[in-house]
Tab-separated table of all heavy atoms in Angstrom:
chain	number	residue	atom	x	y	z
M	1	THR	N	18.522	-8.917	10.502
M	1	THR	CA	19.630	-8.031	11.048
M	1	THR	C	20.540	-7.572	9.881
M	1	THR	O	21.145	-6.500	10.013
M	1	THR	CB	20.507	-8.811	12.079
M	1	THR	OG1	19.652	-9.359	13.056
M	1	THR	CG2	21.567	-7.887	12.719
M	2	LEU	N	20.763	-8.361	8.804
M	2	LEU	CA	21.619	-8.007	7.789
M	2	LEU	C	21.029	-6.998	6.798
M	2	LEU	O	21.747	-6.414	6.043
M	2	LEU	CB	21.960	-9.314	6.932
M	2	LEU	CG	22.861	-10.264	7.631
M	2	LEU	CD1	23.036	-11.519	6.803
M	2	LEU	CD2	24.307	-9.738	7.878
M	3	THR	N	19.749	-6.799	6.898
M	3	THR	CA	19.107	-5.772	6.022
M	3	THR	C	19.628	-4.421	6.347
M	3	THR	O	19.682	-3.948	7.453
M	3	THR	CB	17.596	-5.830	6.190
M	3	THR	OG1	17.119	-7.005	5.900
M	3	THR	CG2	17.005	-4.701	5.213
M	4	VAL	N	20.123	-3.618	5.211
M	4	VAL	CA	20.800	-2.313	5.481
M	4	VAL	C	19.923	-1.242	4.928
M	4	VAL	O	19.012	-1.542	4.084
M	4	VAL	CB	22.212	-2.265	4.892
M	4	VAL	CG1	23.128	-3.284	5.562
M	4	VAL	CG2	22.095	-2.446	3.376
M	5	SER	N	20.046	-0.021	5.307
M	5	SER	CA	19.296	1.101	4.841
M	5	SER	C	19.565	1.297	3.341
M	5	SER	O	20.726	1.295	2.878
M	5	SER	CB	19.693	2.321	5.620
M	5	SER	OG	19.607	2.187	6.968
M	6	ARG	N	18.494	1.564	2.556
M	6	ARG	CA	18.652	1.767	1.208
M	6	ARG	C	17.719	2.934	0.779
M	6	ARG	O	16.738	3.155	1.298
M	6	ARG	CB	18.290	0.562	0.325
M	6	ARG	CG	19.138	-0.677	0.540
M	6	ARG	CD	18.883	-1.780	-0.414
M	6	ARG	NE	19.585	-2.950	-0.141
M	6	ARG	CZ	20.906	-3.172	-0.515
M	6	ARG	NH1	21.446	-2.198	-1.076
M	6	ARG	NH2	21.474	-4.275	-0.143
M	7	PRO	N	18.207	3.675	-0.324
M	7	PRO	CA	17.358	4.737	-0.712
M	7	PRO	C	16.081	4.246	-1.411
M	7	PRO	O	16.075	3.147	-2.033
M	7	PRO	CB	18.243	5.534	-1.811
M	7	PRO	CG	19.179	4.448	-2.294
M	7	PRO	CD	19.504	3.605	-1.053
M	8	LYS	N	14.992	4.935	-1.320
M	8	LYS	CA	13.738	4.499	-1.781
M	8	LYS	C	13.823	4.321	-3.322
M	8	LYS	O	13.196	3.496	-3.945
M	8	LYS	CB	12.527	5.515	-1.525
M	8	LYS	CG	12.276	5.561	0.011
M	8	LYS	CD	11.678	4.278	0.439
M	8	LYS	CE	11.157	4.416	1.887
M	8	LYS	NZ	10.615	3.104	2.424
M	9	ARG	N	14.620	5.172	-4.058
M	9	ARG	CA	14.610	5.104	-5.529
M	9	ARG	C	15.231	3.806	-5.975
M	9	ARG	O	15.137	3.444	-7.166
M	9	ARG	CB	15.498	6.317	-5.986
M	9	ARG	CG	16.882	6.329	-5.550
M	9	ARG	CD	17.559	7.619	-6.099
M	9	ARG	NE	18.990	7.574	-5.719
M	9	ARG	CZ	19.362	8.227	-4.567
M	9	ARG	NH1	18.561	8.719	-3.758
M	9	ARG	NH2	20.700	8.177	-4.327
M	10	SER	N	15.987	3.134	-5.062
M	10	SER	CA	16.728	1.897	-5.547
M	10	SER	C	15.805	0.640	-5.411
M	10	SER	O	16.072	-0.407	-5.914
M	10	SER	CB	17.981	1.639	-4.753
M	10	SER	OG	17.628	1.294	-3.377
M	11	GLU	N	14.586	0.867	-4.862
M	11	GLU	CA	13.653	-0.301	-4.620
M	11	GLU	C	12.820	-0.427	-5.907
M	11	GLU	O	12.431	0.475	-6.569
M	11	GLU	CB	12.857	-0.042	-3.320
M	11	GLU	CG	13.578	0.005	-2.072
M	11	GLU	CD	12.810	0.234	-0.877
M	11	GLU	OE1	11.824	1.043	-1.028
M	11	GLU	OE2	13.091	-0.237	0.175
M	12	PRO	N	12.343	-1.702	-6.120
M	12	PRO	CA	11.567	-2.020	-7.314
M	12	PRO	C	10.196	-1.262	-7.135
M	12	PRO	O	9.610	-1.188	-6.104
M	12	PRO	CB	11.282	-3.482	-7.220
M	12	PRO	CG	12.399	-4.011	-6.446
M	12	PRO	CD	12.769	-2.974	-5.421
M	13	ARG	N	9.749	-0.664	-8.266
M	13	ARG	CA	8.463	-0.016	-8.273
M	13	ARG	C	7.304	-0.992	-8.235
M	13	ARG	O	7.278	-1.956	-9.067
M	13	ARG	CB	8.369	0.897	-9.541
M	13	ARG	CG	7.013	1.639	-9.635
M	13	ARG	CD	7.010	2.582	-10.793
M	13	ARG	NE	5.674	3.307	-10.813
M	13	ARG	CZ	4.572	2.843	-11.352
M	13	ARG	NH1	4.614	1.632	-11.958
M	13	ARG	NH2	3.448	3.514	-11.391
M	14	VAL	N	6.410	-0.850	-7.403
M	14	VAL	CA	5.237	-1.697	-7.300
M	14	VAL	C	3.950	-0.847	-7.353
M	14	VAL	O	3.622	-0.129	-6.369
M	14	VAL	CB	5.278	-2.482	-5.894
M	14	VAL	CG1	4.035	-3.414	-5.819
M	14	VAL	CG2	6.613	-3.353	-5.847
M	15	PRO	N	3.193	-0.926	-8.447
M	15	PRO	CA	1.949	-0.210	-8.547
M	15	PRO	C	0.923	-0.718	-7.512
M	15	PRO	O	0.908	-1.892	-7.176
M	15	PRO	CB	1.460	-0.357	-9.893
M	15	PRO	CG	2.650	-0.835	-10.684
M	15	PRO	CD	3.510	-1.629	-9.674
M	16	PHE	N	0.031	0.144	-7.083
M	16	PHE	CA	-1.012	-0.389	-6.072
M	16	PHE	C	-1.844	-1.400	-6.620
M	16	PHE	O	-2.315	-2.322	-6.027
M	16	PHE	CB	-1.901	0.850	-5.617
M	16	PHE	CG	-3.033	0.460	-4.746
M	16	PHE	CD1	-2.746	-0.007	-3.486
M	16	PHE	CD2	-4.354	0.423	-5.133
M	16	PHE	CE1	-3.775	-0.382	-2.628
M	16	PHE	CE2	-5.348	0.041	-4.386
M	16	PHE	CZ	-5.118	-0.303	-3.034
M	17	GLY	N	-2.105	-1.307	-7.982
M	17	GLY	CA	-2.870	-2.365	-8.673
M	17	GLY	C	-2.277	-3.749	-8.551
M	17	GLY	O	-3.091	-4.719	-8.621
M	18	THR	N	-1.011	-3.822	-8.328
M	18	THR	CA	-0.353	-5.166	-8.189
M	18	THR	C	-0.916	-5.907	-6.991
M	18	THR	O	-1.058	-7.107	-6.944
M	18	THR	CB	1.164	-5.039	-8.098
M	18	THR	OG1	1.613	-4.316	-9.299
M	18	THR	CG2	1.877	-6.480	-7.995
M	19	LEU	N	-1.143	-5.061	-5.894
M	19	LEU	CA	-1.701	-5.647	-4.681
M	19	LEU	C	-3.080	-6.261	-4.974
M	19	LEU	O	-3.490	-7.299	-4.404
M	19	LEU	CB	-1.687	-4.635	-3.566
M	19	LEU	CG	-0.504	-4.365	-2.670
M	19	LEU	CD1	0.570	-3.857	-3.636
M	19	LEU	CD2	-0.860	-3.349	-1.630
M	20	VAL	N	-3.847	-5.612	-5.860
M	20	VAL	CA	-5.198	-6.043	-6.196
M	20	VAL	C	-5.117	-7.258	-7.107
M	20	VAL	O	-5.788	-8.311	-6.831
M	20	VAL	CB	-5.987	-4.944	-6.819
M	20	VAL	CG1	-7.362	-5.512	-7.246
M	20	VAL	CG2	-6.092	-3.742	-5.962
M	21	GLU	N	-4.149	-7.256	-8.022
M	21	GLU	CA	-4.086	-8.419	-8.976
M	21	GLU	C	-3.622	-9.676	-8.221
M	21	GLU	O	-4.024	-10.858	-8.507
M	21	GLU	CB	-2.979	-8.125	-9.995
M	21	GLU	CG	-3.434	-7.038	-11.028
M	21	GLU	CD	-2.274	-6.664	-11.886
M	21	GLU	OE1	-1.088	-6.798	-11.445
M	21	GLU	OE2	-2.564	-6.250	-13.059
M	22	ARG	N	-2.749	-9.425	-7.185
M	22	ARG	CA	-2.179	-10.605	-6.415
M	22	ARG	C	-3.172	-11.134	-5.393
M	22	ARG	O	-2.875	-12.118	-4.756
M	22	ARG	CB	-0.895	-10.248	-5.795
M	22	ARG	CG	0.202	-9.831	-6.794
M	22	ARG	CD	0.932	-11.031	-7.417
M	22	ARG	NE	1.466	-11.832	-6.357
M	22	ARG	CZ	2.847	-11.581	-5.896
M	22	ARG	NH1	3.520	-10.622	-6.591
M	22	ARG	NH2	3.332	-12.325	-4.926
M	23	GLY	N	-4.306	-10.421	-5.170
M	23	GLY	CA	-5.237	-10.852	-4.179
M	23	GLY	C	-4.917	-10.402	-2.731
M	23	GLY	O	-5.485	-10.953	-1.774
M	24	LEU	N	-3.874	-9.672	-2.630
M	24	LEU	CA	-3.516	-9.250	-1.271
M	24	LEU	C	-4.549	-8.229	-0.714
M	24	LEU	O	-4.779	-8.083	0.514
M	24	LEU	CB	-2.127	-8.565	-1.274
M	24	LEU	CG	-0.905	-9.455	-1.674
M	24	LEU	CD1	0.364	-8.703	-1.728
M	24	LEU	CD2	-0.881	-10.674	-0.742
M	25	LEU	N	-5.194	-7.413	-1.545
M	25	LEU	CA	-6.320	-6.598	-1.327
M	25	LEU	C	-7.391	-6.886	-2.369
M	25	LEU	O	-7.016	-6.873	-3.590
M	25	LEU	CB	-5.957	-5.120	-1.280
M	25	LEU	CG	-5.003	-4.736	-0.106
M	25	LEU	CD1	-4.675	-3.260	-0.270
M	25	LEU	CD2	-5.747	-4.767	1.292
M	26	THR	N	-8.598	-7.141	-2.006
M	26	THR	CA	-9.680	-7.399	-3.000
M	26	THR	C	-10.544	-6.186	-3.320
M	26	THR	O	-10.610	-5.368	-2.441
M	26	THR	CB	-10.557	-8.615	-2.418
M	26	THR	OG1	-11.187	-8.111	-1.190
M	26	THR	CG2	-9.754	-9.837	-2.224
M	27	PRO	N	-11.067	-6.065	-4.557
M	27	PRO	CA	-11.882	-5.072	-4.918
M	27	PRO	C	-13.093	-4.999	-3.931
M	27	PRO	O	-13.659	-6.029	-3.561
M	27	PRO	CB	-12.385	-5.454	-6.258
M	27	PRO	CG	-11.215	-6.231	-6.888
M	27	PRO	CD	-10.698	-7.029	-5.748
M	28	GLY	N	-13.478	-3.823	-3.462
M	28	GLY	CA	-14.600	-3.702	-2.606
M	28	GLY	C	-14.074	-3.431	-1.160
M	28	GLY	O	-14.867	-3.049	-0.242
M	29	THR	N	-12.805	-3.779	-0.856
M	29	THR	CA	-12.230	-3.601	0.455
M	29	THR	C	-12.205	-2.117	0.743
M	29	THR	O	-11.834	-1.209	-0.103
M	29	THR	CB	-10.805	-4.145	0.573
M	29	THR	OG1	-10.865	-5.522	0.340
M	29	THR	CG2	-10.168	-3.828	2.015
M	30	VAL	N	-12.633	-1.738	1.997
M	30	VAL	CA	-12.535	-0.332	2.424
M	30	VAL	C	-11.354	-0.023	3.137
M	30	VAL	O	-10.982	-0.723	4.123
M	30	VAL	CB	-13.784	-0.036	3.287
M	30	VAL	CG1	-13.744	1.483	3.815
M	30	VAL	CG2	-15.115	-0.191	2.593
M	31	LEU	N	-10.525	1.008	2.653
M	31	LEU	CA	-9.392	1.430	3.237
M	31	LEU	C	-9.696	2.645	4.205
M	31	LEU	O	-10.621	3.346	3.989
M	31	LEU	CB	-8.257	1.785	2.268
M	31	LEU	CG	-7.901	0.825	1.286
M	31	LEU	CD1	-6.755	1.339	0.319
M	31	LEU	CD2	-7.378	-0.399	1.950
M	32	SER	N	-8.898	2.736	5.196
M	32	SER	CA	-9.145	3.858	6.157
M	32	SER	C	-7.855	4.573	6.485
M	32	SER	O	-6.731	4.033	6.311
M	32	SER	CB	-9.739	3.386	7.531
M	32	SER	OG	-10.817	2.541	7.239
M	33	SER	N	-8.016	5.867	6.902
M	33	SER	CA	-6.837	6.511	7.484
M	33	SER	C	-6.666	6.230	8.860
M	33	SER	O	-7.577	5.706	9.452
M	33	SER	CB	-7.064	8.055	7.282
M	33	SER	OG	-8.192	8.477	8.120
M	34	ALA	N	-5.511	6.461	9.385
M	34	ALA	CA	-5.198	6.082	10.814
M	34	ALA	C	-5.470	7.144	11.857
M	34	ALA	O	-5.460	6.896	13.023
M	34	ALA	CB	-3.806	5.556	10.961
M	35	GLY	N	-5.798	8.362	11.363
M	35	GLY	CA	-5.901	9.477	12.275
M	35	GLY	C	-7.216	9.483	12.984
M	35	GLY	O	-8.206	8.696	12.776
M	36	ARG	N	-7.397	10.500	13.819
M	36	ARG	CA	-8.652	10.602	14.652
M	36	ARG	C	-9.808	10.878	13.743
M	36	ARG	O	-10.951	10.448	13.924
M	36	ARG	CB	-8.495	11.663	15.766
M	36	ARG	CG	-9.646	11.763	16.669
M	36	ARG	CD	-9.356	12.721	17.801
M	36	ARG	NE	-8.150	12.326	18.561
M	36	ARG	CZ	-7.576	13.057	19.515
M	36	ARG	NH1	-8.129	14.314	19.757
M	36	ARG	NH2	-6.607	12.676	20.197
M	37	LYS	N	-9.558	11.810	12.685
M	37	LYS	CA	-10.588	12.103	11.736
M	37	LYS	C	-10.458	11.047	10.693
M	37	LYS	O	-9.756	11.266	9.627
M	37	LYS	CB	-10.410	13.481	11.210
M	37	LYS	CG	-10.616	14.555	12.212
M	37	LYS	CD	-10.401	16.006	11.655
M	37	LYS	CE	-10.604	17.135	12.660
M	37	LYS	NZ	-10.396	18.380	12.040
M	38	ARG	N	-11.196	9.957	10.842
M	38	ARG	CA	-11.093	8.755	9.972
M	38	ARG	C	-11.685	9.100	8.593
M	38	ARG	O	-12.892	9.607	8.433
M	38	ARG	CB	-11.828	7.602	10.683
M	38	ARG	CG	-11.563	6.306	9.981
M	38	ARG	CD	-10.160	5.789	10.264
M	38	ARG	NE	-9.835	5.678	11.706
M	38	ARG	CZ	-10.174	4.667	12.461
M	38	ARG	NH1	-10.875	3.622	11.928
M	38	ARG	NH2	-9.853	4.552	13.641
M	39	HIS	N	-10.852	8.822	7.514
M	39	HIS	CA	-11.260	8.888	6.190
M	39	HIS	C	-11.367	7.515	5.654
M	39	HIS	O	-10.659	6.608	6.040
M	39	HIS	CB	-10.341	9.763	5.305
M	39	HIS	CG	-10.171	11.093	5.924
M	39	HIS	ND1	-11.179	12.151	5.732
M	39	HIS	CD2	-9.183	11.772	6.521
M	39	HIS	CE1	-10.754	13.236	6.292
M	39	HIS	NE2	-9.531	13.020	6.753
M	40	HIS	N	-12.280	7.297	4.587
M	40	HIS	CA	-12.567	5.968	4.015
M	40	HIS	C	-12.555	6.134	2.537
M	40	HIS	O	-12.997	7.064	1.959
M	40	HIS	CB	-13.818	5.380	4.545
M	40	HIS	CG	-13.902	5.337	5.978
M	40	HIS	ND1	-13.349	4.294	6.853
M	40	HIS	CD2	-14.607	6.177	6.925
M	40	HIS	CE1	-13.659	4.482	8.050
M	40	HIS	NE2	-14.361	5.584	8.233
M	41	ALA	N	-12.134	5.013	1.866
M	41	ALA	CA	-12.275	4.915	0.407
M	41	ALA	C	-12.287	3.407	0.064
M	41	ALA	O	-11.750	2.587	0.786
M	41	ALA	CB	-11.127	5.555	-0.282
M	42	LYS	N	-13.080	3.134	-1.065
M	42	LYS	CA	-13.198	1.803	-1.472
M	42	LYS	C	-12.341	1.405	-2.692
M	42	LYS	O	-12.126	2.224	-3.593
M	42	LYS	CB	-14.632	1.428	-1.810
M	42	LYS	CG	-14.950	-0.019	-2.038
M	42	LYS	CD	-16.438	-0.236	-2.406
M	42	LYS	CE	-17.312	0.074	-1.246
M	42	LYS	NZ	-18.778	-0.255	-1.638
M	43	ILE	N	-11.710	0.241	-2.570
M	43	ILE	CA	-10.839	-0.321	-3.803
M	43	ILE	C	-11.745	-0.740	-4.917
M	43	ILE	O	-12.695	-1.497	-4.744
M	43	ILE	CB	-9.985	-1.360	-3.319
M	43	ILE	CG1	-9.085	-0.952	-2.140
M	43	ILE	CG2	-9.052	-1.861	-4.430
M	43	ILE	CD1	-8.239	-2.070	-1.601
M	44	ARG	N	-11.337	-0.265	-6.151
M	44	ARG	CA	-12.004	-0.699	-7.299
M	44	ARG	C	-11.173	-1.740	-8.023
M	44	ARG	O	-9.945	-1.906	-7.723
M	44	ARG	CB	-12.287	0.439	-8.273
M	44	ARG	CG	-13.170	1.528	-7.560
M	44	ARG	CD	-13.992	2.369	-8.592
M	44	ARG	NE	-13.011	3.090	-9.428
M	44	ARG	CZ	-13.486	4.053	-10.353
M	44	ARG	NH1	-14.748	4.306	-10.479
M	44	ARG	NH2	-12.640	4.720	-11.126
């Protein structure tokens, strides 16, 4: 409840590669779009 609105520019920059390094997403995982015309791509 105490979290307040903040501008995006004030938040720490996190590269997508950090998610891979940390094991939150593993190489080979397939990502998808959420729309009806589903698009796919694999993480390297």
Side-chain angles (χ1 to χ4, degrees):
T1 307
L2 288 173
T3 302
V4 299
S5 305
R6 296 190 184 280
K8 293 293 184 183
R9 63 181 179 273
S10 70
E11 297 178 326
R13 182 177 178 273
V14 177
F16 176 70
T18 302
L19 275 61
V20 179
E21 292 173 333
R22 297 280 295 273
L24 298 177
L25 291 172
T26 58
T29 298
V30 175
L31 301 181
S32 305
S33 64
R36 186 175 300 173
K37 295 181 178 180
R38 191 71 59 83
H39 301 287
H40 304 278
K42 184 182 293 185
I43 300 174
R44 301 201 302 184

